[in-house]
Amino acid sequence: MLLRLALLHSVSLELTYAMQCDCVGNDREDKRGAEIVFRGTVIAFHQSAKGDRIVVFHVNRVFNGDPPETFEMPAIEAGEACFGFYAPTLGIGNELLVYASSFGSTGPADLSLKCATKLWSETKNIRKLGRGRKPRPK
């Protein structure tokens, strides 16, 4: 019985990841599904105390939430599970549209809508995001 539950859980996670990989994205709906949505430029990387890679953004415009001018989050790159940033987007100087959520934790935000997070230059229907506003000073 325990083995069946473990197998069912594993299959459900894989289906969830597969659906994330295949998502099309709708900027207005994606915006509602994330706690934080911002346009930001990758300015640095560093290691957390736990040894995790962290990406540092200079936030240019905020569409949802209240991130500061400098915002950090785990630099998880998409792998076989199809979760995280696409590796080519995480380069110093790249400008991204980022959708993130903390999922109720007090730690740094994680990517919540991977398919919606992309290079700013590849973002379509920007008007659906709204005008946005400046980030709060740090």
Side-chain angles (χ1 to χ4, degrees):
M1 179 69 171
L2 214 52
L3 182 59
R4 286 183 186 172
L5 287 173
L7 182 59
L8 182 61
H9 178 71
S10 176
V11 169
S12 69
L13 285 176
E14 289 302 319
L15 287 174
T16 301
Y17 292 137
M19 290 187 312
Q20 287 177 345
C21 292
D22 295 336
C23 66
V24 175
N26 174 325
D27 293 324
R28 189 171 287 147
E29 288 177 27
D30 291 342
K31 181 179 169 183
R32 280 183 255 171
E35 291 176 38
I36 301 168
V37 180
F38 66 89
R39 175 183 179 178
T41 304
V42 177
I43 58 172
F45 294 94
H46 66 82
Q47 297 294 112
S48 72
K50 295 179 181 177
D52 297 322
R53 186 172 179 226
I54 303 294
V55 59
V56 182
F57 288 97
H58 170 74
V59 176
N60 304 313
R61 206 80 186 146
V62 176
F63 303 100
N64 201 23
D66 191 29
E69 289 175 315
T70 303
F71 186 77
E72 299 182 0
M73 61 189 291
I76 299 169
E77 292 184 12
E80 289 181 23
C82 199
F83 177 78
F85 291 97
Y86 290 117
T89 63
L90 283 181
I92 300 288
N94 283 354
E95 191 171 32
L96 280 73
L97 175 62
V98 178
Y99 292 80
S101 292
S102 64
F103 302 108
S105 76
T106 56
D110 285 317
L111 223 52
S112 63
L113 297 164
K114 181 196 69 63
C115 291
T117 296
K118 60 188 95 161
L119 291 170
W120 180 255
S121 61
E122 295 175 359
T123 303
K124 298 176 184 171
N125 301 322
I126 296 168
R127 289 186 184 135
K128 290 183 181 179
L129 287 171
R131 188 167 176 229
R133 59 183 162 65
K134 291 183 179 182
R136 66 178 162 86
K138 188 168 183 175

